Amino acid sequence: VQLQASGGGLVQPGGSLRLSCAASGFTLDYNAIGWFRQAPGKEREGVSCVSSSDDSTYYADSVKGRFTISRDNAKNTVYLQMNSLKPEDTAVYYCATGAPLPCAVYELGGWVGFDYWGQGTQVTVSS
């Protein structure tokens, strides 16, 4: 099982990036996929989630209306489209996968259960 996150970079405030999480060794369609981020000196934060169990999605309040998670089953890839980026979105972003439980279950459980993680991609929002 491997996850490869990519698509990070340097962008000005108000700009957009699309992160990709490509999976190998398993089928994303049968799992929950989460995007997380960790900024320097801060705890890791759950940003977004999509689950095959009920097609549920989750967005942290801080990104609602700006970020969109989507899945391309043919490419075995999950995307995170990030629009209207803010300096506070600066962080290393990780994708992870877990059993196909609803995203709400993972949120209530503190995101425990995401067992496989990608290597992270840096997103920097700065003028």
Side-chain angles (χ1 to χ4, degrees):
V1 175
Q2 284 191 333
L3 294 171
Q4 181 75 32
S6 61
L10 173 64
V11 63
Q12 292 186 342
S16 299
L17 284 173
R18 188 179 76 160
L19 304 184
S20 299
C21 178
S24 59
F26 72 103
T27 303
L28 278 175
D29 192 27
Y30 300 131
N31 290 270
I33 303 297
W35 281 100
F36 302 83
R37 66 186 181 187
Q38 188 164 21
K42 295 187 177 182
E43 292 188 353
R44 189 172 62 199
E45 173 189 19
V47 175
S48 185
C49 168
V50 59
S51 178
S52 62
S53 66
D54 56 355
D55 286 330
S56 62
T57 57
Y58 162 87
Y59 298 96
D61 288 342
S62 58
V63 307
K64 278 181 182 175
R66 301 188 297 122
F67 289 12
T68 303
I69 193 168
S70 63
R71 185 167 53 198
D72 186 332
N73 294 332
K75 295 183 178 180
N76 212 26
T77 300
V78 170
Y79 302 98
L80 185 68
Q81 178 67 43
M82 306 187 297
N83 298 328
S84 302
L85 284 162
K86 304 175 181 179
E88 51 264 42
D89 294 318
T90 295
V92 178
Y93 284 70
Y94 301 89
C95 61
T97 186
L101 301 174
C103 293
V105 172
Y106 279 112
E107 183 197 3
L108 289 172
W111 303 105
V112 173
F114 280 89
D115 298 323
Y116 298 96
W117 292 76
Q119 84 288 4
T121 184
Q122 176 71 47
V123 171
T124 302
V125 185
S126 175
S127 55

